Amino acid sequence: MKTKTLSLLLICVCFFTSFAQHKGNYDQISRQNILLSGNATIYNPTVQQNINKVLTPSTHVFIDVKALQNVQATTYTAIFNVSQIGPTADSTALLINQRIQNIKSQLKPLGITDDDVAVDVISFVPNYEIEVQKKLFSKTYTEVPNGFELQQNLHIQFTKTSQFESILTACAKSEIYNLVKVDYYIEHIAEVYKNLQTKLLKLIEEKKAYYKVLGFDLANYNVAIADDQYCYFPKDFYQSYQAFNSVSFEAIKKNRGITTAKKQTSYYYQPLSYENYDVVVNPSILEPVVQIGMNIRLQYSPKPKEVKPEPVVKTEIKHKYYVVSPNGTIDIKALQTN
């Protein structure tokens, strides 16, 4: 029995070793990252399709250029939701203001002033409870206000990602844990688009020269154009995964049942891949960034050949006039009219 179990384990180990890839846990593999080299076949269908693609020649010329720039945000705004209850309206507002003031005092050493903190009031409503009123022959239930609830959104602006951890700590000390979102802002986004446009125009000229060497003078072609630009923020590119299911070898040895634990859902930042871009500005990134892109597509069609019109043939009719003598002789002479 021990021999069979050992053989089974060896088969499982060989199986996992054969298919291990250089990946992280996001693909449900929670083991060490291993990169295999050698004559392994390419199993990715997309890669196979690109390698074996059959090119179809055409008299039309297409120039597709794409550029992407990774831009670090100029400023960030973290939004926290704050909820406070109290017996009266005044006491509720006082309690929440004290919590916010404590946060501001802790953020000042970081260079975050009161002007970088804003409060957005969401709701301020009374809370009700059921009051039982007993009478001689009946009992009634009446809703009566027993306190107030105040909800606010706290906006904190900062300029460095290293400040965010201290912001979280300051909020946690005031019992504020609900982080709604973090917004990214860029001051000079027009300059980014201009930079991408300049690089794409240069690339287009290089491709025109390349086609001219191949015998395609694009000056003899009619051109049509389509372009596009876009801007994506980190919040658009977070994906989730769960850890790979674990196996208890102790439970297998003792032949006991296994109670699986709930696996925590994790998230990671997955930016746009560079494989479809001709130009990438600031390709190496350490932290989530704003990704700004621009695409230009040019279609060149051969100009129709000019058809020379056929020469027009003019038909000229020359008239001749004759005069018959009055004496009846047949002496006919041609009359000169020119």
Side-chain angles (χ1 to χ4, degrees):
M1 183 63 183
K2 291 183 179 180
T3 304
K4 293 182 179 180
T5 304
L6 180 59
S7 301
L8 179 60
L9 291 175
L10 289 175
I11 293 173
C12 293
V13 171
C14 294
F15 176 81
F16 286 125
T17 304
S18 301
F19 289 91
Q21 302 296 323
H22 191 190
K23 299 179 181 179
N25 293 339
Y26 76 93
D27 201 19
Q28 296 185 348
I29 299 179
S30 58
R31 289 176 289 275
Q32 292 181 346
N33 297 333
I34 301 175
L35 178 61
L36 295 181
S37 60
N39 298 325
T41 58
I42 300 176
Y43 63 90
N44 191 316
T46 304
V47 175
Q48 288 183 343
Q49 183 178 2
N50 291 334
I51 293 177
N52 301 322
K53 182 186 297 183
V54 178
L55 301 180
T56 303
S58 175
T59 57
H60 296 267
V61 177
F62 297 91
I63 296 180
D64 290 314
V65 288
K66 298 181 179 181
L68 181 71
Q69 182 167 343
N70 296 320
V71 183
Q72 188 173 1
T74 308
T75 58
Y76 309 85
T77 300
I79 302 177
F80 295 86
N81 181 262
V82 189
S83 179
Q84 180 65 55
I85 59 175
T88 63
D90 294 339
S91 62
T92 303
L94 179 61
L95 290 173
I96 199 170
N97 289 334
Q98 289 177 350
R99 296 167 67 186
I100 294 176
Q101 289 299 325
N102 290 336
I103 295 175
K104 289 182 178 180
S105 62
Q106 296 180 59
L107 296 181
K108 285 183 179 179
L110 303 176
I112 301 176
T113 64
D114 291 347
D115 295 334
D116 298 323
V117 180
V119 176
D120 180 19
V121 179
I122 303 302
S123 64
F124 193 20
V125 295
N127 288 329
Y128 293 90
E129 68 176 7
I130 303 299
E131 184 181 74
V132 181
Q133 295 181 352
K134 297 182 179 179
K135 297 182 180 180
L136 183 59
F137 298 104
S138 65
K139 181 187 298 184
T140 60
Y141 300 88
T142 306
E143 285 188 341
V144 294
N146 67 333
F148 292 84
E149 180 183 7
L150 175 59
Q151 282 199 29
Q152 296 179 350
N153 281 344
L154 183 63
H155 298 231
I156 302 176
Q157 188 179 75
F158 56 100
T159 57
K160 299 178 181 178
T161 54
S162 58
Q163 298 172 316
F164 188 55
E165 185 175 354
S166 300
I167 294 174
L168 290 175
T169 303
C171 292
K173 289 181 179 179
S174 296
E175 298 180 352
I176 298 175
Y177 313 105
N178 189 359
L179 173 62
V180 180
K181 63 176 181 175
V182 178
D183 291 327
Y184 290 61
Y185 297 97
I186 301 175
E187 289 185 0
H188 307 292
I189 192 172
E191 296 181 1
V192 178
Y193 282 120
K194 186 176 181 180
N195 180 45
L196 293 178
Q197 182 180 359
T198 302
K199 292 185 177 298
L200 288 182
L201 291 177
K202 181 181 178 181
L203 182 59
I204 289 173
E205 293 301 323
E206 293 176 356
K207 290 200 173 188
K208 284 183 179 180
Y210 166 73
Y211 283 115
K212 191 172 183 179
V213 173
L214 295 178
F216 294 88
D217 188 359
L218 298 183
N220 300 325
Y221 285 69
N222 293 325
V223 61
I225 185 174
D227 61 349
D228 184 27
Q229 62 185 30
Y230 47 85
C231 178
Y232 290 117
F233 294 89
K235 63 181 179 61
D236 302 318
F237 293 104
Y238 274 93
Q239 298 184 12
S240 62
Y241 73 94
Q242 285 186 333
F244 192 81
N245 292 336
S246 58
V247 177
S248 174
F249 290 97
E250 185 69 21
I252 295 177
K253 292 179 181 179
K254 296 182 179 180
N255 195 19
R256 294 180 179 178
I258 300 174
T259 302
T260 58
K262 182 180 180 181
K263 304 302 186 296
Q264 181 182 5
T265 301
S266 302
Y267 296 87
Y268 66 98
Y269 173 61
Q270 181 65 42
L272 289 174
S273 176
Y274 303 155
E275 58 186 353
N276 295 323
Y277 288 93
D278 303 284
V279 177
V280 179
V281 183
N282 302 329
S284 180
I285 58 176
L286 179 62
E287 62 187 43
V289 294
V290 180
Q291 294 190 295
I292 301 175
M294 179 177 291
N295 304 336
I296 298 178
R297 178 180 176 86
L298 300 174
Q299 176 180 338
Y300 291 89
S301 303
K303 292 182 179 180
K305 296 182 179 180
E306 296 182 359
V307 180
K308 295 182 179 180
E310 296 181 359
V312 179
V313 180
K314 294 183 180 181
T315 303
E316 184 178 355
I317 301 176
K318 294 184 178 181
H319 299 278
K320 291 184 178 181
Y321 298 93
Y322 298 90
V323 178
V324 180
S325 61
N327 55 7
T329 58
I330 311 174
D331 184 10
I332 303 174
K333 297 181 179 180
L335 182 64
Q336 301 294 330
T337 58
N338 50 357

